[in-house]
Amino acid sequence: MEAMSEDVTAQAFDLNAWSQVQLQRTEAALSAWVGVSAPAGLGEAMRYAVLDGGKRLRPLLVLAASEAVQGNAEAALRAACAVELIHAYSLVHDDMPCMDNDVLRRGKPTVHVAFGEARALLAGDALQALAFELLTPEGEAVPDAMQARLCRLLGAAAGAQGMAGGQAIDLASVGLPLSEDQLRQMHRLKTGALLEGSVLMGAACGQVAAVTQQALKDYGAALGLAFQVVDDVLDVVADSATLGKTAGKDAANDKPTYVSLMGLDGARRHAAALLQESLAALERSGLRDTQALRALAHMVVDRSH
Amino acid sequence: MEAMSEDVTAQAFDLNAWSQVQLQRTEAALSAWVGVSAPAGLGEAMRYAVLDGGKRLRPLLVLAASEAVQGNAEAALRAACAVELIHAYSLVHDDMPCMDNDVLRRGKPTVHVAFGEARALLAGDALQALAFELLTPEGEAVPDAMQARLCRLLGAAAGAQGMAGGQAIDLASVGLPLSEDQLRQMHRLKTGALLEGSVLMGAACGQVAAVTQQALKDYGAALGLAFQVVDDVLDVVADSATLGKTAGKDAANDKPTYVSLMGLDGARRHAAALLQESLAALERSGLRDTQALRALAHMVVDRSH
C-alpha cells in the first residue's frame, strides 16, 4: 500500500509547474547578478550569453537535488546560477570560429557574431570567474564549509578533468574512429561532468550520508550520459528550428556520435536503459523527495529539443 | 635608534635569496599541479603556458604578504599558484589572434602558435578552473573559511569588475583619447586587480585587523599601478629581446599609455611617487615583517623587464 501511494505521488508531480517556480527564481537571480556594472560592453555580452535562453537543465538539477536533501535555499540558488554560468561560458567559447564556428545558438546569433570575437572571449572568461564569485558571498547565509565544497565541486566539473578536458578530447577526435568506451569517456567529461556536478552541488547544499552521495552521483552520471545520447539522436532527427541551433552539425563535422556508433534505434534503446539506471540510483539514495529528480530524468530522455 | 635598526634590517634583506627559495617551492608546486593527467594534449598546453616562465611577481606578492601576517603556509602556496594560473590564462587568451594577436611571449612562441587556437582557448579556460580547484583542497590543511575567502578574493580580482573588466576597457579604448583618470581606472582593473588581489590573498592566509587589511590593500593598489606605469615606460625604452615580448606594441596599436599621457619623464616620476605611496601604506599596516613586501615594491619600479 505504501509503495502504491508513493507511486501515486510520483505520477501526480507536475514537473512543468515545479520548473516554472524554480526558473522564475533562477532567471531573476541571474538577471540581478550577471554583467551588472561590468565595464565597456562586457556586461551586455555576458547578459546576452546567459539571459532568456536555454532549458536551464543544470540549474533545475541543482535545485531538485537540493530539495531532495532539504538543502540551504540561498546556497542552492547560487549554485544553480553558477553551473549555468559555466555552461553558458562554455557555449560562448565553443561557438567561436577557432572552435565550432557556429553562428546560431538558441535561435539567436552567437555571442561572437553579435559582439565580436574579442568581447566573446572576455565575456566567457568573466562568466567563469563570476560563477565562483556567486558561490562565495560574504556573510552568514551560506556557511564557509558549504562555499568551499561548492567551489571544489564546480572547479572539478569545469576544469581539465571535467568539461574543458572533454572538449579537448572532442577537438582531438574529429575524424577519428572512436570506440564506445572512448566516446563515453569524452562525453562523461564534456557534458557529463557538469550535469553530474550540478546534482552533487545540489546535494552539497544539505547534509547527506556517503551512500546517498554516491547514489546521487550515479544518478547524475547516468543522466549526463543519457543527455548526450539523446542529443546525438536529436542532431539527426530534429531540424534547426526545433533545436534552436544548427542541426546535422556532428555528421557534417565528421564527429563520432552514439548514432554513428549504434544506429538510431540502438542509441534510443541506450538512452532508455540509462534512464532506468538513473531511476534505480535514486531508489538506492534512500531519499524520499526525489520526484523532481525523477521527472527531470524522464524529461532529459523524452525531450524533443 | 629603533627606526635606524629597522632601516638596517631593510637594507640587509636579500630579495634575490628570498625569492629563490619562494620560487623553488612555487615552481615545484605548479609542476606538480598543472596539467597533470589532463586529456588530449590539453595538459601539455596548460604546462607550456605556465611553467618555466615569467617573473612570478604575483606568487611572490602572495607569499610575502602571507609571511608578513604569519599565514598558513599551505594556503599561501596554493594561493600563490592560483593567482599565477589566472595571470597565465589571461596571457594565453590575450595573445590570441582575436585579441592582441601576439606570437612571442617570454621569448617563446605563444600558446596558440604552438598548440593551435582551439587548444589555447581551452587551456586558458582550464587554467582558470584549476586556480579555484587549487584553493579548495579536501582535508584540514586549509580551513574552510580561508578557502571560501580566497575563492571570493580571486573571483573578484579575475572577473568583470577586475581583470576581465579591465581588458574589456582596454579593448574598447584603442585609438581613443583617455584622460589620466580613465587610464588609471583601466589599469586598476586590468593589471591592478590581480596584483592587489595577490596581496589580499596572502593576507587572507592569516588573521589581520581591518586597519592592516586596508593598509595592505593600499599597498597593493599603489604597487599595481606602479607596475603598469613602469610597463608603459619599458614598452618605449626596452627592446623585445630584453622584454621577452614584442616591444613598442602599444604605440603601434595606438593604445593610450602613461608615456603618451605624461611623457617619459613624467611617467618615471609618477612611478617613483607610487613606490613611496606603497611604502607608506606598509608603514601604516602595523606589521613588522614587511621586508619582502618592501623589496618587491622597489623591484617593480626598478626592473628593466
Side-chain angles (χ1 to χ4, degrees), chain A residues 186-245:
Chain A
M186 173 179 95
H187 290 309
R188 202 179 60 78
L189 299 181
K190 190 184 171 200
T191 9
L194 195 57
L195 290 166
E196 183 182 316
S198 300
V199 177
L200 292 177
M201 287 172 74
C205 296
Q207 304 288 339
V208 293
V211 59
T212 301
Q213 164 99 359
Q214 182 61 48
L216 287 174
K217 192 173 154 67
D218 295 343
Y219 162 84
L223 177 139
L225 206 50
F227 180 86
Q228 188 57 53
V229 175
V230 172
D231 234 37
D232 286 355
V233 169
L234 291 174
D235 189 64
V236 174
V237 301
D239 57 27
S240 299
T242 310
L243 286 180
K245 60 182 179 184

Side-chain angles (χ1 to χ4, degrees), chain A residues 98-166:
Chain A
C98 68
M99 298 278 288
D100 282 359
N101 193 19
D102 220 324
V103 297
L104 185 66
R105 167 75 65 184
R106 293 171 179 168
K108 299 188 302 183
T110 47
V111 177
H112 68 91
V113 170
F115 292 86
E117 282 184 55
R119 197 162 286 149
L121 179 57
L122 286 177
D125 290 344
L127 288 172
Q128 178 163 209
L130 180 57
F132 292 95
E133 290 184 77
L134 291 189
L135 294 180
T136 52
E138 294 198 69
E140 307 292 313
V142 183
D144 290 329
M146 201 176 279
Q147 294 191 16
R149 184 159 165 66
L150 288 170
C151 288
R152 185 179 309 140
L153 288 166
L154 189 62
Q161 278 143 330
M163 185 183 74

